[in-house]
Amino acid sequence: MNHCIGLCETTGRWYEGTESIGAPVHSPIIVSGIEFVEVEAPENPYGGLVFREHSFDPITRIRRGVVYRATTHSPEGWRVFDTERHDIAVADIKGTRQLLTCRKFYIGDSLNFLRATKQTPKVVIGEEPFVSLWQVLSIETAASGMRLVTLKALHFLDTVPELRLEQITNLQLRQELKSAVENVDVV
C-alpha cells in the first residue's frame, strides 16, 4: 500500500493517506520540489518529485522526510474525507464530508532509480531563485513501506564553493584534504 499526499488548490490544505482514501493533515507541513543532481530520474508526465519534510535539526542541519512523485488519480478522483469542510456535499453516512478530487496528488516514490548510482547523490531542494544543496546520507524503509530519506545541508546560501578534488594531483594531499573537508561543518 502506497502512502500519498494531495493538495486541495482551493483551500491550500494538505491531505495524506493511502491510494484509496485520504484525510486532512492538521499540523503544518513543508513540501518542496526536489531534484537529484547528476542522477537520471525516470520521466514523469504528471510532474516532478517533491520532498515532504518530517523533521529538521538546525544544529546539525539534518532533514528527514519522504520523496513523492506527482501522479494522476483514478477517473473518480482521490477520495478524501474532511469533516471540517462545509463547501462540499455530504457523501457518506454519519455526515462525513468527502472531497472527490485532489488535482495535486503525489505517491511515495520507491527511489529505485538510485540503485544504479555509485555514490550517494546530492539533491537540490526548492525552486529558483531560492534553492539549497543537500547530500543524501541514507535511505531506509520504514515498516509502513515509506522510504525515509536523511539529508545533510552542504552549503548555506551557496557561500562556499564546491571543492574539485580531482584537480589535486598529489594523491596523499588529496586524501588528507578530502578527509578534513568531510569533518568540517560549514555554517
Side-chain angles (χ1 to χ4, degrees):
M1 195 174 329
N2 287 317
H3 191 263
C4 304
I5 58 174
L7 176 65
C8 174
E9 292 181 301
T10 305
T11 63
R13 187 169 204 177
W14 283 96
Y15 295 86
E16 67 181 336
T18 65
E19 286 178 274
S20 59
I21 193 167
V25 177
H26 291 287
S27 59
I29 68 171
I30 297 173
V31 177
S32 306
I34 186 170
E35 183 179 325
F36 288 84
V37 177
E38 297 178 1
V39 174
E40 202 163 318
E43 288 293 320
N44 185 353
Y46 307 112
L49 298 170
V50 296
F51 179 78
R52 178 189 179 184
E53 183 177 293
H54 287 244
S55 66
F56 174 68
D57 181 346
I59 304 299
T60 61
R61 294 186 336 214
I62 300 281
R63 286 175 116 159
R64 293 197 72 189
V66 177
V67 175
Y68 294 88
R69 66 180 152 80
T71 189
T72 185
H73 39 72
S74 60
E76 63 272 5
W78 188 45
R79 293 183 350 167
V80 179
F81 292 104
D82 192 339
T83 58
E84 298 171 16
R85 296 272 306 265
H86 299 289
D87 59 328
I88 51 180
V90 175
D92 200 14
I93 56 172
K94 299 182 184 176
T96 302
R97 297 185 183 275
Q98 184 177 172
L99 173 66
L100 293 178
T101 304
C102 277
R103 285 189 173 175
K104 291 202 177 239
F105 177 60
Y106 302 89
I107 190 166
D109 197 89
S110 67
L111 301 175
N112 285 335
F113 63 92
L114 294 176
R115 293 180 189 261
T117 61
K118 302 211 184 308
Q119 297 177 343
T120 55
K122 295 175 183 161
V123 297
V124 174
I125 293 184
E127 294 182 20
E128 291 291 344
F130 304 107
V131 297
S132 54
L133 186 61
W134 300 78
Q135 178 75 50
V136 174
L137 293 181
S138 67
I139 301 171
E140 50 195 279
T141 304
S144 64
M146 287 192 308
R147 304 289 196 273
L148 291 172
V149 179
T150 303
L151 305 172
K152 175 141 179 78
L154 288 179
H155 300 283
F156 182 71
L157 300 176
D158 278 356
T159 57
V160 178
E162 186 71 29
L163 184 61
R164 295 183 183 171
L165 291 172
E166 70 278 0
Q167 293 184 353
I168 300 172
T169 56
N170 183 318
L171 294 177
Q172 181 181 354
L173 180 60
R174 181 189 311 172
Q175 188 57 38
E176 289 174 7
L177 187 56
K178 180 181 177 188
S179 178
V181 168
E182 288 173 350
N183 293 318
V184 172
D185 192 16
V186 179
V187 180

